[in-house]
């Protein structure tokens, strides 16, 4: 299995969750923006030195880059993200139930 594309997608996903642009993340890990773009699109692979920096910068555990769920579509992710953005404290239980249902 070629890991470049799914790993690049994970990096992009975590970068966006943290609200970072490609340029901001590239600066933090010490690479060019176009290099990060190529990594995120699966066109190239990063060095181990670069990979070692990502978990701390993106605040994730290293293993999380290798968890892929192909059953969750982008539409599901967008729908869930929209629900999260609009949540009020009183609806926290509803959100948790939705997340559980989406993952089931």
């Amino acid at each position: 299995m070629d890991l470049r594309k799914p790993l690049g997608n994970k990096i992009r996903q975590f970068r966006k969750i943290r609200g970072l642009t490609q340029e901001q993340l590239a600066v933090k890990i010490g690479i060019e923006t176009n290099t990060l773009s190529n990594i995120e699109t699966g066109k190239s692979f990063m060095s181990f030195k670069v990979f070692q920096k990502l978990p701390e910068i993106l605040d994730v555990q290293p293993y999380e880059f290798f968890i892929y769920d192909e059953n969750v579509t982008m539409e599901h992710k967008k729908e869930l993200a929209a629900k999260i953005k609009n949540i009020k404290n009183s609806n926290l239980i509803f959100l948790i139930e939705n997340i559980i249902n989406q993952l089931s």
Side-chain angles (χ1 to χ4, degrees):
M1 175 182 185
D2 186 355
L3 293 177
R4 287 180 295 185
K5 190 150 183 103
L7 182 56
N9 286 335
K10 278 295 201 178
I11 293 168
R12 179 184 308 109
Q13 175 187 356
F14 291 137
R15 174 180 60 78
K16 287 184 175 187
I17 288 170
R18 299 295 175 259
L20 296 171
T21 64
Q22 282 186 336
E23 183 177 6
Q24 291 168 325
L25 181 56
V27 167
K28 288 179 182 273
I29 57 179
I31 62 175
E32 297 293 324
T33 304
N34 64 333
T35 302
L36 178 58
S37 176
N38 287 337
I39 290 168
E40 287 188 355
T41 58
K43 293 178 183 172
S44 63
F45 203 73
M46 72 199 97
S47 70
F48 185 71
K49 184 177 179 181
V50 168
F51 180 73
Q52 284 181 302
K53 296 176 184 180
L54 287 173
E56 183 177 344
I57 293 168
L58 296 173
D59 192 30
V60 295
Q61 295 298 314
Y63 72 87
E64 292 181 82
F65 289 101
F66 302 100
I67 299 173
Y68 312 118
D69 186 353
E70 296 173 7
N71 295 325
V72 179
T73 66
M74 185 55 74
E75 190 61 37
H76 285 106
K77 291 176 186 178
K78 287 179 181 178
E79 184 180 325
L80 187 55
K83 289 178 183 177
I84 291 170
K85 286 180 183 177
N86 294 323
I87 192 161
K88 297 175 183 167
N89 288 339
S90 61
N91 291 328
L92 186 57
I93 293 173
F94 175 74
L95 173 65
I96 293 169
E97 288 173 348
N98 266 323
I99 291 170
I100 292 169
N101 288 336
Q102 291 288 327
L103 296 174
S104 304

